[in-house]
Amino acid sequence: MTEDSDRVDVARPPLFNAVFIISLICVAGIGGWGLISPDAMTGAFLGFTNYMLTGISWYWLTITTGFLILSLYLAFGPYGNVRLGADDERPEFSTASWIAMLFAGGMGAGLLFWGVAEPIYHFEGPPGMEGGTAQAAREAMVITNLHWGLHAWAIYGVCALVIAYFTFRRNETSEISTPIKSVFTGPGGKPIGTLANVLGVLAVVFGLAGSLTMGTLQVRGGLSEVFGLDATTTLSLIIMGVLFVCYMLSATTGVDKGIKILSNLNMLIAIGLLLVVITFGPSRFILETFVNSIGEYFSRLPAMAFRMFPYEGLSGWTSGWTLTYLIWWLAWGPFVGIFVARISRGRTIREFCIGVIFVPTMFSILWFAAFGGTAIYIQLFGGGGLTELVFADVTSALFAFLNYFPAGEILGGVACLLIFIFLVTSADSGTFVLSMMTTEGNLNPPVFHKMVWGVLIAVLTAGTLLTGSITVAKAMAITGALPFSVILLLQIVGFMRAIKTERPDKTRPREARGHVETAAATAKPAE
């Protein structure tokens, strides 16, 4: 008997099902609303977002820190050697391609958008202290790494791990609802599962549309800065149109071709741009900032993981920065989670947690040390002038920064290309994940579903672009986080119940092992 002989072949799901139809109606309605009345849509999203950021601020910091603690336990606890697949299964993708894909899908374009701007913002206005000083510079790097470090990737890791475990270890469907159904086993399990799947789809759509809007505005800012084009709404829509054509062409090729090739290309260009900044920038300062950031971030993490500012009256700062990021990562959780789960088959839980959480965190710290550290160096020792450019137009911050380097226009063109490819990769993997979610977890969803979701994402993004506001785009991106956070907590309950059946010797779950042993005992001897 082979290792996988007890696996059950799952029939191809129907083209239309309740999750697909309900989600389609909701997204089409919201997309039409944005095109017909963008101001009304703007008010609704901003109102809901404001409630999430102020009314239940304590909730977000508590649960996201809890996800980080859970990730540490899973990585270094008794289940670290459990494999996401059969015991003798090996990873589908090489480690380099795997990390490139999860990084490109997770936050690649975001690092380019905020790599210069965020450290400068915190340097000029750190919470509770004077800006523009050496201490403010230290605080700026710590705050930035808090927003882009372990908390963010722990959210993604937990979202992905629960799906990957049930899909590849338990051989169940790759759906948001699968872990939840193990909690609600009665008659109510199916409608609760359907609701969870629909809410997951909406969270992905909103998060993707908001992020694509911000990325498109940054590409527009780059084209304006580098090539002198007018930064108009028309230019934004043209960029979105080209983006739509590219990600739809890529989406039809599958994970092992389009997404994999684009992700590897992304990482090569990103690392090349990073090396240029380190080489031609203040190299020693950058590397010292990198080492210092590691020490400051990890030593202060336990306190910062629970830090709010109720006594200082700085709840507005917390809501505008830390909580917005945490909610943003949660909103992207279903998308990145299912996508990372899809590409992580064959990894052990320990390998998964290190690769998904720790490796990207270290790269992010290096990235901000290079881009943000150099920007702060310009302000402290290089004559200044960058802060005004950043505050005037955050979408052009990166390109204004690159003008301080030799061949700045060429670097700006490369950055534009890199951002665009990151956006194509995000949209491509997003349409792939949405297609999986609306075809009962099909690991190779049909092209029809990719086309449908690709068109709807483009329409919703166009509606958000018509507002022309980064604030609206961020509100759009985080709207789906509140319902999904509840879903994720239920998923974790189901996952922890299931993983307790694993043996310490990293073999298959007890119930699955028992099934194999029983089958072997009752089988007729070979003749």
Side-chain angles (χ1 to χ4, degrees):
M1 178 175 289
T2 64
E3 184 69 37
D4 293 332
S5 60
D6 59 322
R7 295 195 176 197
V8 179
D9 292 330
V10 180
R12 182 176 293 276
L15 195 61
F16 300 99
N17 55 59
V19 174
F20 177 71
I21 294 173
I22 295 172
S23 302
L24 193 65
I25 293 172
C26 293
V27 173
I30 295 172
W33 183 23
L35 290 175
I36 296 171
S37 181
D39 291 339
M41 185 187 75
T42 297
F45 279 112
L46 289 177
F48 185 67
T49 301
N50 183 63
Y51 167 74
M52 288 197 296
L53 291 172
T54 58
I56 50 174
S57 56
W58 54 270
Y59 171 74
W60 303 110
L61 198 58
T62 302
I63 63 170
T64 52
T65 298
F67 297 152
L68 176 56
I69 295 171
L70 175 62
S71 300
L72 293 173
Y73 170 73
L74 292 172
F76 303 107
Y79 306 113
N81 288 325
V82 173
R83 194 169 293 277
L84 301 174
D87 291 333
D88 60 351
E89 196 165 0
R90 290 300 175 263
E92 180 180 359
F93 299 99
S94 68
T95 299
S97 292
W98 175 57
I99 292 176
M101 284 190 287
L102 70 89
F103 196 82
M107 59 177 62
L111 287 179
L112 285 160
F113 193 99
W114 293 105
V116 172
E118 182 168 348
I120 286 293
Y121 270 108
H122 300 320
F123 171 67
E124 293 296 335
M129 68 173 62
E130 181 185 356
T133 65
Q135 185 58 35
R138 290 177 176 271
E139 189 71 13
M141 300 308 298
V142 172
I143 293 171
T144 302
N145 291 324
L146 172 67
H147 295 163
W148 294 82
L150 294 177
H151 275 75
W153 288 101
I155 293 170
Y156 288 164
V158 170
C159 290
L161 185 58
V162 295
I163 298 296
Y165 177 81
F166 279 93
T167 302
F168 302 127
R169 186 72 174 174
R170 296 271 174 165
N171 197 33
E172 298 188 31
T173 58
S174 184
E175 296 180 276
I176 295 291
S177 61
T178 297
I180 297 176
K181 290 176 182 176
S182 66
V183 178
F184 298 97
T185 57
K190 185 174 182 179
I192 292 175
T194 299
L195 176 62
N197 287 331
V198 170
L199 291 175
V201 169
L202 296 180
V204 171
V205 171
F206 292 151
L208 194 55
S211 297
L212 290 180
T213 299
M214 283 183 282
T216 300
L217 292 175
Q218 189 180 27
V219 172
R220 186 187 74 176
L223 293 177
S224 176
E225 185 77 23
V226 177
F227 300 105
L229 300 179
D230 292 333
T232 62
T233 301
T234 301
L235 180 59
S236 297
L237 295 177
I238 291 174
I239 295 170
M240 184 60 216
V242 177
L243 175 63
F244 169 73
V245 173
C246 292
Y247 76 69
M248 291 309 299
L249 288 174
S250 178
T252 59
T253 62
V255 174
D256 59 339
K257 295 179 182 178
I259 297 177
K260 177 182 175 182
I261 293 171
L262 287 175
S263 297
N264 289 335
L265 179 61
N266 280 342
M267 289 306 297
L268 287 175
I269 299 176
I271 291 174
L273 190 61
L274 176 65
L275 291 176
V276 167
V277 173
I278 294 175
T279 302
F280 294 98
S283 304
R284 189 186 72 178
F285 182 86
I286 291 172
L287 296 177
E288 288 179 350
T289 299
F290 173 57
V291 173
N292 184 78
S293 295
I294 293 174
E296 294 249 6
Y297 172 61
F298 284 101
S299 64
R300 294 177 56 187
L301 182 61
M304 291 192 304
F306 296 95
R307 185 180 70 171
M308 304 188 80
F309 297 94
Y311 310 116
E312 297 86 349
L314 295 174
S315 58
W317 185 94
T318 306
S319 299
W321 283 104
T322 302
L323 299 184
T324 295
Y325 271 116
L326 296 180
I327 298 173
W328 196 346
W329 305 138
L330 269 169
W332 267 59
F335 155 44
V336 179
I338 290 182
F339 178 70
V340 172
R342 169 63 181 84
I343 63 176
S344 299
R345 184 171 191 162
R347 307 276 171 183
T348 64
I349 289 180
R350 180 171 295 114
E351 181 183 12
F352 175 92
C353 290
I354 292 173
V356 173
I357 300 172
F358 293 98
V359 173
T361 293
M362 294 304 296
F363 183 85
S364 296
I365 293 174
L366 177 60
W367 183 274
F368 282 108
F371 286 80
T374 301
I376 291 175
Y377 179 89
I378 292 172
Q379 291 302 116
L380 286 175
F381 311 111
L386 187 58
T387 297
E388 292 75 12
L389 297 174
V390 171
F391 277 53
D393 183 5
V394 67
T395 64
S396 300
L398 173 64
F399 306 100
F401 167 79
L402 292 175
N403 284 332
Y404 283 83
F405 289 81
E409 289 188 358
I410 296 176
L411 292 177
V414 172
C416 272
L417 176 63
L418 180 58
I419 295 166
F420 187 80
I421 298 175
F422 268 129
L423 292 177
V424 172
T425 308
S426 295
D428 182 359
S429 50
T431 55
F432 182 88
V433 166
L434 287 168
S435 302
M436 283 182 57
M437 296 172 73
T438 52
T439 55
E440 300 179 7
N442 187 353
L443 296 179
N444 295 290
V447 174
F448 170 77
H449 283 76
K450 297 178 184 177
M451 297 294 291
V452 170
W453 289 115
V455 170
L456 286 175
I457 287 171
V459 171
L460 197 58
T461 303
T464 312
L465 282 170
L466 291 176
T467 67
S469 171
I470 292 292
T471 303
V472 174
K474 291 172 71 175
M476 172 72 77
I478 66 179
T479 295
L482 181 58
F484 179 70
S485 67
V486 178
I487 292 171
L488 181 55
L489 291 175
L490 293 175
Q491 285 182 319
I492 292 172
V493 172
F495 170 74
M496 295 307 296
R497 285 183 180 180
I499 203 170
K500 286 181 180 179
T501 64
E502 297 285 349
R503 293 177 179 270
D505 59 359
K506 72 180 179 182
T507 58
R508 298 174 66 83
R510 291 174 188 144
E511 56 203 53
R513 180 174 176 163
H515 171 73
V516 175
E517 291 171 348
T518 302
T522 57
K524 293 182 179 180
E527 297 180 358

